[in-house]
Amino acid sequence: MDLSNIVPTSDEIVVTLKYPGTDKVLDNDDGTPMTITLYAPHTKEYKAGIYEQANKRIKDQQKEFTIQDWEESTTELLIKAIKDWDITFGGKKPKLTPAKAKEVFNSKAGFWIAEQVQEKVNSFEAFTPA
């Protein structure tokens, strides 16, 4: 086996949103499934978000880091990791922008969306077995 051949099979994570607590896929009005595509944790885009968060913590190290700070930091990282989405929110299919993503994730629906996205990131398997 050659170590140089062990590379990730994908640089993206596609999250298909499901109705909370079920396996029922949520569909847009046009019948397509609602999806959020993120950069995988090994990509430069995802790492840039991690580095930004770490540098912010270093800069603010004299400030106590609260659970609220942790939650905000986690949400910000997920938002920065979003590459694309196909969702319906507020009766529209909004264009992905950092501001719109923050609005969605901080809405009443946001907690379960963030949970599904984070769960998929945590279980992402970048490699196929040899």
Side-chain angles (χ1 to χ4, degrees):
M1 172 149 292
D2 184 337
L3 292 177
S4 66
N5 293 327
I6 303 173
V7 295
T9 57
S10 177
D11 288 341
E12 296 178 351
I13 300 171
V14 178
V15 180
T16 301
L17 297 180
K18 296 179 180 175
Y19 193 87
T22 73
D23 285 331
K24 182 179 176 354
V25 172
L26 294 173
D27 291 330
N28 293 298
D29 291 339
D30 62 7
T32 60
M34 290 193 204
T35 59
I36 298 177
T37 304
L38 297 105
Y39 293 103
H42 64 270
T43 63
K44 66 180 180 188
E45 293 86 357
Y46 191 94
K47 287 181 180 182
I50 290 173
Y51 299 152
E52 183 179 323
Q53 293 298 317
N55 287 331
K56 184 177 179 182
R57 292 295 148 259
I58 291 168
K59 184 178 178 186
D60 294 341
Q61 65 185 350
Q62 293 176 322
K63 178 183 173 238
E64 181 180 344
F65 189 65
T66 65
I67 193 68
Q68 292 88 345
D69 293 330
W70 173 82
E71 182 177 32
E72 182 180 331
S73 177
T74 301
T75 300
E76 285 178 18
L77 178 58
L78 290 177
I79 289 169
K80 289 180 186 315
I82 298 174
K83 180 179 182 180
D84 195 16
W85 68 8
D86 183 10
I87 66 167
T88 301
F89 185 77
K92 299 177 183 173
K93 289 180 86 169
K95 179 181 175 194
L96 173 62
T97 65
K100 183 52 83 172
K102 190 170 187 174
E103 178 186 342
V104 170
F105 276 65
N106 287 331
S107 70
K108 279 187 166 183
F111 80 93
W112 66 263
I113 295 170
E115 286 177 2
Q116 288 186 22
V117 171
Q118 186 64 60
E119 181 179 314
K120 191 74 168 183
V121 169
N122 292 345
S123 65
F124 177 66
E125 294 182 15
F127 303 94
T128 54

